[in-house]
Amino acid sequence: MPWKMSRRRAITLAGAGVGLGAAGLAGGAALTRDPAPEPVSDVVPFAGPNQAGIVTPAQDRLHFVAFDVITKDRDKLVQMLRDWTAAAARMTAGRDAGEIGAVNGEPEAPPDDTGEALGLPPSSLTITIGFGPSLFQRFGLASQRPAVLEPLPRFTGDTLDAAISGGDIAIQACANDPQVAVHAVRNLARIGMGTVSVRWSQLGFGRTSSTAVGQATPRNLFGFKDGTRNLKAEQTDLLREHLWVQPGDGPDWMTGGSYLVTRKIRMLIETWDRSSLTEQEGIVGRYKGSGAPLGADAEFDEPDFTSVGADGQPLLATTSHVRLAHPDTNQGARMLRRGYNFVDGSDGLGRLNAGLFFIAYQRDPAKAFIPVQRSLAANDEMNEYVRHVSSGIFACPPGLTAPDDYWGRALFA
Amino acid sequence: MPWKMSRRRAITLAGAGVGLGAAGLAGGAALTRDPAPEPVSDVVPFAGPNQAGIVTPAQDRLHFVAFDVITKDRDKLVQMLRDWTAAAARMTAGRDAGEIGAVNGEPEAPPDDTGEALGLPPSSLTITIGFGPSLFQRFGLASQRPAVLEPLPRFTGDTLDAAISGGDIAIQACANDPQVAVHAVRNLARIGMGTVSVRWSQLGFGRTSSTAVGQATPRNLFGFKDGTRNLKAEQTDLLREHLWVQPGDGPDWMTGGSYLVTRKIRMLIETWDRSSLTEQEGIVGRYKGSGAPLGADAEFDEPDFTSVGADGQPLLATTSHVRLAHPDTNQGARMLRRGYNFVDGSDGLGRLNAGLFFIAYQRDPAKAFIPVQRSLAANDEMNEYVRHVSSGIFACPPGLTAPDDYWGRALFA
């Protein structure tokens, strides 16, 4: 009694009907097997002019993975990107990555889907791809490398672990169910066997940023609201200026894309937890409860950098995080952040290995993350409580808009 | 503008009104600050004859931590257990672990809650405590050690890492929001500073067992339904026979408690993913799609160990997991399992570090986990795809039923 069904029978065609449609990207053959169901609301369209998973309202869970390309065969790499695209279109639509049962009636073949997401809803899964600087040293891509796509400079205090930094290709899978995000990464890894190898991988929970108007600002593991001034999906003009690569910015294949910076930031939470509320609030520059800037009343009030406390000192210290990270202190620099909290067990020294997996998208890292982080690394009093242990930068191409499009087509064309 | 509020203003009294009530356990002073709200449904009562988090319908997320006791001062340990109990009562009711703002009007004190769960609902948080064999070698507890509370024997194929095994005290925090589970563990660790030290800690997602009738059986990272025959909360007679320690079983302080076995089981998912569907189904003894035992139609059908395939061989191989783990093959042994999937990044060899964090509760491990695992370790064809890397056993005392009760009171009395 071998068995065949698509991952989530009830939502197959609903998923396929969203956006450009999975059928156009993934080949429609399998789509005819299932009856038309009710539309569902937790599918994020895979196709479109920009990749999903950037301005998409931040989902609750993350599985991020960086791959090394282990083949020298350019055609094999391109074929994998085609296969990945088809699988990603299926999975974001709430379907399996491929046949779960016997393939072409051949029960002795391994299933084309690993099965652990069977029966789970689409869970707003997005799968976003980026290409690291190291990829452009091979496959004849040197001339296609954007000038800004360089390994990040060393910042003061960096304690990076090379084994969990960099990578040729990054995949960011976000979903409201971690099992769905893990399933997506795992199936791409399975499809890529022999072509890519997992370099590092990070799970995250508890999104730390809001990326849409009305989405509440969550708290990081310092217990504070952070990223209040994040770019939001609705701010079209700001997104054009600060988020999406514009024509003429660099090679054409990146127009409509964005540069992704990742930083794994270990928080020394035990030390933080021993500092007083006053000290914590002074370091952040916000009240812990309301999230309001010190001296202000509400979270979204503008910080007043001129106000002075009873002691004659600035209420918002020159070393406070909110002041150092503010656009006014950084030539107007803005990024779209969508980081996640992490806890990776313990560190063997009696402490939780916890912190923030920082993720930021931007039009030009040289004008956004790099100068802001330089300033933070040099001055932020919070540095006493954090350690940057991993770093990555990736060029995320635009979205897919043609039926035969696949990840990286314009790059490899 | 210092700031004071309880963790979740809206649900404070609702939480306190559930079960025995947090007020009785935690001291009611802080409870009077908030107005009475609507009752909420996602609070699991903390108090009761058995600890919550055992037959409680399995929540979606886990943070498990094992502590070493680093003090020699018995009174200090007991005081910490009192403080933990009060904090656990508050947090499971959806409140903070203690004052978040200035303590006793003293803004220079560290907050008594770390803040990252502020504004989040109770999320069905349960906090369950267990005591490991090593604890009984100190503090004059030797005579109170249950005879069955011994480190697990070595099983064939074990590749245990001592650094992530054992521990004096275990805390299992389960919730439907990982941030709430992490917050609970972190605040207990904070309260325990100087008394206990984190030995190891594990995050899990995607519960792999159902513990209540009607709760769907989820899938593990092999993509299969497992634990179909799990003990269920509603099976009162079976729970008495197999789950809860009965009078006369051992020291009185454990009556109404249960023994917890944890095993971190790394799955070699890349190898598994390369095996055929037929092979996978043969190893498990179930169809991947429906979860039905081979030869049967539906998940909850009883496996027929006598049925024979066209080749004259048993349809359910003698090395199949479903046969080896079945009560009929194990003198009727039953456990209540509530394990979780995990992904801990990658392993440096290009593979995801993923698997099952196995959790089982039972009345007597010598009649349940130990013989079943002995049989599995010796015969289960699945062993080719799994590695047991961590092991723990803990005696979980009964629940709290008196207002002045605290975790371990009967043990330390």
Side-chain angles (χ1 to χ4, degrees), chain B residues 23-248:
Chain B
L25 291 164
L31 289 175
T32 56
R33 291 176 298 152
D34 297 315
E38 298 297 309
V40 285
S41 58
D42 68 343
V43 170
V44 177
F46 178 63
N50 308 119
Q51 284 197 73
I54 301 176
V55 297
T56 304
Q59 303 94 322
D60 276 352
R61 314 287 177 255
L62 166 79
H63 193 181
F64 194 98
V65 61
F67 293 100
D68 288 329
V69 177
I70 56 173
T71 186
K72 290 179 178 170
D73 182 340
R74 180 182 161 119
D75 291 342
K76 191 173 172 186
L77 174 58
V78 168
Q79 185 57 48
M80 183 201 73
L81 291 169
R82 286 180 183 272
D83 294 342
W84 272 10
T85 307
R90 291 172 68 101
M91 293 190 288
T92 52
R95 304 185 61 226
D96 46 65
E99 296 282 324
I100 298 166
V103 178
N104 299 324
E106 177 48 81
E108 297 314 317
D112 274 345
D113 183 280
T114 54
E116 72 272 22
L118 265 172
L120 299 178
S123 307
S124 298
L125 173 68
T126 56
I127 307 177
T128 312
I129 194 167
F131 302 114
S134 51
L135 185 69
F136 293 82
Q137 297 168 2
R138 292 175 288 165
F139 305 109
L141 296 174
S143 66
Q144 295 291 332
R145 186 177 65 81
V148 295
L149 186 68
E150 288 191 334
L152 294 170
R154 189 189 144 72
F155 299 100
T156 307
D158 272 2
T159 54
L160 303 181
D161 178 353
I164 54 169
S165 295
D168 294 327
I169 304 180
I171 292 286
Q172 172 199 276
C174 297
N176 289 323
D177 184 328
Q179 185 122 337
V180 170
V182 164
H183 170 264
V185 165
R186 180 216 190 146
N187 277 275
L188 297 185
R190 185 186 51 72
I191 292 168
M193 238 179 246
T195 308
V196 292
S197 167
V198 173
R199 181 178 174 84
W200 54 274
S201 143
Q202 181 66 50
L203 255 66
F205 64 89
R207 63 185 172 81
T208 59
S209 303
S210 96
T211 54
V213 170
Q215 194 176 33
T217 311
R219 290 174 186 275
N220 62 25
L221 290 183
F222 284 150
F224 278 80
K225 294 185 179 224
D226 192 20
T228 297
R229 294 257 317 170
N230 204 19
L231 286 176
K232 302 278 197 291
E234 296 82 355
Q235 299 165 329
T236 318
D237 290 349
L238 287 175
L239 297 185
R240 195 181 304 116
E241 188 181 345
H242 296 287
L243 179 65
W244 302 122
V245 175
Q246 299 297 315

Side-chain angles (χ1 to χ4, degrees), chain A residues 1-3 5 60-61 63 65 100-102 107-111 113-119 164 176-179 182 185-186 189-190 193 196-203 205-207 219-224 269-281 287-290 295-297 341-346 348-352, chain B residues 1-3 5 60-61 63 65 100-102 107-111 113-119 164 176-179 182 185-186 189-190 193 196-203 205-207 219-224 269-281 287-290 295-297 341-346 348-352:
Chain A
M1 193 182 299
W3 160 86
M5 66 178 273
D60 276 352
R61 313 286 177 257
H63 192 182
V65 62
I100 298 166
E108 297 312 319
D113 183 279
T114 53
E116 73 271 23
L118 266 171
I164 55 170
N176 289 322
D177 185 329
Q179 185 123 338
V182 164
V185 165
R186 180 215 189 146
R190 184 185 52 71
M193 239 178 245
V196 292
S197 168
V198 173
R199 180 178 175 84
W200 54 274
S201 144
Q202 181 66 51
L203 254 67
F205 64 88
R207 63 184 173 79
R219 290 173 186 274
N220 62 25
L221 290 184
F222 284 151
F224 277 79
I269 57 173
E270 291 80 3
T271 315
W272 180 260
D273 288 349
R274 271 177 286 197
S275 63
S276 73
L277 181 64
T278 308
E279 194 178 340
Q280 292 181 5
E281 292 183 336
Y287 296 113
K288 196 163 193 176
S290 63
D297 290 324
N341 299 323
F342 72 84
V343 175
D344 294 348
S346 51
L349 299 172
R351 300 176 303 201
L352 294 175
Chain B
M1 195 182 299
W3 160 85
M5 66 178 275
D60 276 352
R61 314 287 177 255
H63 193 181
V65 61
I100 298 166
E108 297 314 317
D113 183 280
T114 54
E116 72 272 22
L118 265 172
I164 54 169
N176 289 323
D177 184 328
Q179 185 122 337
V182 164
V185 165
R186 180 216 190 146
R190 185 186 51 72
M193 238 179 246
V196 292
S197 167
V198 173
R199 181 178 174 84
W200 54 274
S201 143
Q202 181 66 50
L203 255 66
F205 64 89
R207 63 185 172 81
R219 290 174 186 275
N220 62 25
L221 290 183
F222 284 150
F224 278 80
I269 58 173
E270 290 81 3
T271 315
W272 181 259
D273 288 348
R274 271 177 285 198
S275 63
S276 74
L277 180 65
T278 307
E279 193 179 341
Q280 292 181 7
E281 292 183 335
Y287 296 113
K288 197 163 192 175
S290 63
D297 290 323
N341 299 323
F342 72 85
V343 176
D344 293 349
S346 52
L349 299 172
R351 302 176 303 201
L352 294 176

Side-chain angles (χ1 to χ4, degrees), chain B residues 392-406:
Chain B
I393 182 168
F394 303 94
C396 301
L400 307 180
T401 51
D404 61 341
D405 230 356
Y406 63 89

Side-chain angles (χ1 to χ4, degrees), chain A residues 34-83:
Chain A
D34 297 314
E38 298 297 310
V40 285
S41 58
D42 69 342
V43 170
V44 177
F46 178 63
N50 309 119
Q51 284 197 72
I54 301 176
V55 297
T56 304
Q59 303 94 323
D60 276 352
R61 313 286 177 257
L62 166 79
H63 192 182
F64 193 98
V65 62
F67 292 100
D68 288 329
V69 177
I70 56 173
T71 185
K72 290 180 177 169
D73 182 340
R74 180 183 161 120
D75 291 343
K76 192 172 171 187
L77 174 58
V78 168
Q79 186 58 49
M80 183 200 74
L81 290 169
R82 285 180 183 273
D83 295 342

